[in-house]
Every structure is written in C-alpha cells, then in structure tokens.
Amino acid sequence: MPSSPSTSRTLFDDDRTGIIYRTAARIIYEKGFDATSMSEIAEALDLTKPGLYYYVKGKKELLYSIMRCAMNLLDSDVVEPAALIADPEERLRVIIREHARLLTNEAGALAILIDEDGGLSAEHREDIAKRKRAYFEFLRRTLEALEAEGRLREVDSTVAAFSLLGMVMWIARWYDSKGRLASEKVVQDVTEIALAGMLVPRSKESMGLAQVQ
Amino acid sequence: MPSSPSTSRTLFDDDRTGIIYRTAARIIYEKGFDATSMSEIAEALDLTKPGLYYYVKGKKELLYSIMRCAMNLLDSDVVEPAALIADPEERLRVIIREHARLLTNEAGALAILIDEDGGLSAEHREDIAKRKRAYFEFLRRTLEALEAEGRLREVDSTVAAFSLLGMVMWIARWYDSKGRLASEKVVQDVTEIALAGMLVPRSKESMGLAQVQ
DNA sequence: GAATATTTACCGACCGGTAGGTAAACCGGT
DNA sequence: ACCGGTTTACCTACCGGTCGGTAAATATTC
C-alpha cells in the first residue's frame, strides 16, 4: 500500500494519493458523487478501475479521505490564523476573508464538503459532521464575543452564523475563476457585506481607518 | 391519464399528482436525487413501482415537474408581490423576507431547486436555469436600482446578489421547523442581516424607528 | 335497471444496462 | 526472483423502465 492512504499530513500530499484525491474531488464536485463512477475517476487519472482500487479502498472511503483533507485545509488556513486574534471583529473578518479566499481558489475539494455527505457511511458522516460543527461553533463563539461587547446586531447568534456560512459557502456555487470578477474583488465584497450585516453601525467615533465608500 | 401530469395550476394541486410531487420532493431532498430510487418513492406512497409509473412518465420528468412547481411557487409568492413595489429598499426587503419565509415552510420542494439540477435532461435543465436566471436578475436589478440612488454599499451588484441568495438559500440546509428557533424569528433576523449588509448606513437623519440595540 | 363496454388505477414479473468491487494474471525494475 | 503497480476478465446487485394482466369504478346501451 502506498505512502499514507488516509493520514494526509497537511492537506493534499504531492504523492500519488494527493493527485488522486484532487482529481477525484474535481470530478465529483462537477458531476456529483453518485453520478460519478469510479471508472470515470480512474480514466481521468489514466488508470483502469482496478488500478484506482489499488490506491483507494472504496468509493466511500475516497470521499471520506477527500473530505478530511478539505477539513484539514479549512482548519489550517482559516481557523488556526483566526484563533490567534483576540479582537472578535478582526477575528470575524479573518474567518470570512480566508474562508472566502479558500473557496475562490481550491473550490472543488471544499465544495464537496457542502453537499455529498450523504455518500458517507454513518460513522464517517458523524465524524465529518463533528468537525463541521466545531467550525460552526468557532464562528458562533466569535459572534457571541462580539455580542458581549455590544457590537453585534440584535440577532440570534445561530442565525447569524448560518447566514455568514451560507453567504460564504455559496461562493463555490457561482464563482468562476475564468469569469469577469477577480477573486480578490469577490473576497473583498463578500467580506464587507458579511461584516456590515453583523456589526452594529459605529455611531460617531471612527477608530482607525474606516471602510470608506 | 390522470388530470394534469405537468401543468400544475398554481403550485401543488391537491389531487393525486400533487401528493406524489410533494412526497417525492421530500424524499429526494432528504436523500438526494440519484440516491433515491423510484421504488422508494412508490413505497412511500403505498404503491408499487409500476403503480407510480402510471402517474409519472419517468424519473427525470418527475424531478422536472417538481422543479417547475417550485419555481411557480417562487414566482407567485416572492416575485409577484415584490414586483409591485417601487422603492428598491422596500422591494429588496420583501424579496428576502418572502423567500426566507417560503424556505422555512415548504423547504423540501424549494431546496431541490438548489442542487439536483444535474438530474435533468439538457433541455429541462436549460429551462430551469433560465427561470433561475430571471429570478437572479430580478434581484440584481433591484440592487442596481438601490445603487443608482446611492443606497447600496460599494460592492459589485452581482457579488451582492449572490451573497443574498446564498444567505437565504442556505436556510433550507439548516433550519429545522421542530428546533429551537421560531420560523418568523429566523425570517426576521436573516432579513435584517441581509438588508444591513447591502445598505449604506444612513448617516444622521433617522427616519422612522431605527433598530436600537 | 340489467348487461355490456370502457376507463381508471394498479400489481407481479421481468429485462437491459451499469456500477462497485474483486481474483488472478502480468510486467518492469532492482 | 521478487515486489510494486497495473491490467483483463468477471461477478453481483441494483435501478430505471416495460409488459401483460386485472379488480373496481364508471359510462353506455338496450
């Protein structure tokens, strides 16, 4: 069995399994999990079906591995940097910005996380769900910290967290890297909309550089 | 052949086909289109597969019919009322509010519209895509009207429209009618967040009752 | 109003096709 | 000679969809 079939150091390794995960993620993202056959994935890798099965244990395992990699990516690129920031407003901004940035770049793998969890076995699904929940709670706690300082609007923190998540996750569905909009413009705008939707408007005293129109 | 296999007057009729569409929509929404077999749908209706095929022409046709009904619902409950409103801010509020309200009620059928369009034939998919696009453009034009009056933040109207859509559509994924949050509270909060995210803050002159913390 | 004809609403059995998955043979490098 | 990597050939299971048939309701004729 080659290298590490499931540990995946940081995100996608550069070895064969890494390439397999990435390719599979792209195809599954484009066509949907059920609609994608193992033969198709194998063909895209210049392999036959059993050739692919040499590297992966099964279709569900493959999906699970991809999802774990995606969650790792989310943790390392979004949660870890954000967790270092004390100020809740600034932390929120980093979460939104980095998550959005991630989605405009490595859309395929990340987007699978959104849907396609029906393809997992019960235990695997619970595992992924737990990690998703952890991310959600991280976001929600940030909003509650904001609330404690009177800087969050008068909305339920759960509703607010889901609204943010929806706005950001949705990017994967519509953003086209070859389209009119530059990825950084999208990230900027979404971040601004999200922050403005959450924060209670600062009445007069403008500290630091305000978002000028 | 029974009544109207595809015309569907306003939304879901109360006849047999209506019940079939609703049931099928719920199951397909829960399990995904590909993962749902016609036998399962039939079983849920206390029918055998051929019994179900007496009412529907095929699996794809069934999905298409459900989607058309869902789009009709969106048009009649969201677009039509909103189209009557001249003021762009008020119109935007109605769009968000009514769309959110629809999702907290008849989630199953509406949510299918989001994903699952891969199950359609090329022509059917194009037809649904066209109607979706029309809705999106309706939303975007509203934002541009807002922009023309200097009431929209300095963001791209396309990005803004997608962000709104994501936030609202996402409700179908997380809202549980049997959960802690009352549907109207969710609708209210999402509407507030969405509006606040779009509108440039009114500097001084506060008209009407402002949202006080 | 009884007998007949026709439609409605459905079922059991089955077919063609395809997908996930496997066993065993094969091959190239060291 | 061996072992990582790959292929050919195949099995089983299931799914969409059809065919022939049928019990009950409905319409039609006399």
Side-chain angles (χ1 to χ4, degrees), chain B residues 111-182:
Chain B
I112 286 182
L113 277 172
I114 304 178
D115 333 276
E116 315 294 8
D117 50 343
L120 267 50
S121 70
E123 309 97 58
H124 288 169
R125 179 161 51 245
E126 187 47 47
D127 179 50
I128 295 293
K130 201 178 290 179
R131 293 185 68 174
K132 282 199 210 173
R133 224 174 294 138
Y135 179 63
F136 177 79
E137 285 305 324
F138 176 64
L139 176 59
R140 207 172 64 86
R141 276 199 310 275
T142 301
L143 290 174
E144 272 174 354
L146 214 54
E147 191 175 31
E149 297 185 14
R151 290 200 272 170
L152 182 72
R153 304 189 104 86
E154 269 282 317
V155 292
D156 186 274
S157 66
T158 300
V159 176
F162 276 123
S163 297
L164 286 177
L165 226 47
M167 197 159 34
V168 175
M169 295 287 218
W170 204 251
I171 294 173
R173 283 186 182 274
W174 61 269
Y175 178 68
D176 174 17
S177 59
K178 289 175 294 299
R180 171 176 67 88
L181 291 157

Side-chain angles (χ1 to χ4, degrees), chain A residues 38 49-50 53 59:
Chain A
M38 291 298 269
K49 192 164 43 149
Y53 269 90
K59 200 187 182 187

Side-chain angles (χ1 to χ4, degrees), chain A residues 12 21-22 25-26 29 66-67 70 73 106-113:
Chain A
F12 294 116
Y21 290 170
R22 229 196 282 266
R26 204 197 64 237
Y29 166 62
I66 294 170
M67 282 193 171
L73 205 58
E106 197 118 16
L110 264 291
I112 286 182
L113 278 173

Side-chain angles (χ1 to χ4, degrees), chain B residues 2 16 47-48 50 54-55:
Chain B
R16 205 71 214 266
L47 279 176
T48 55
Y54 171 72
Y55 293 98

Side-chain angles (χ1 to χ4, degrees), chain B residues 55-100:
Chain B
Y55 293 98
V56 302
K57 269 184 288 193
K59 201 186 183 189
K60 291 177 179 181
E61 293 285 339
L62 173 59
L63 179 63
Y64 179 52
S65 296
I66 294 170
M67 283 194 170
R68 280 228 318 288
C69 289
M71 285 306 300
N72 291 348
L73 206 58
L74 198 65
D75 281 341
S76 66
D77 284 27
V78 181
V79 176
E80 278 179 31
L84 301 172
I85 300 170
D87 179 59
E89 178 176 335
E90 194 51 33
R91 198 198 312 160
L92 181 61
R93 191 190 314 277
V94 170
I95 296 173
I96 305 293
R97 191 200 329 127
E98 294 310 314
H99 194 163

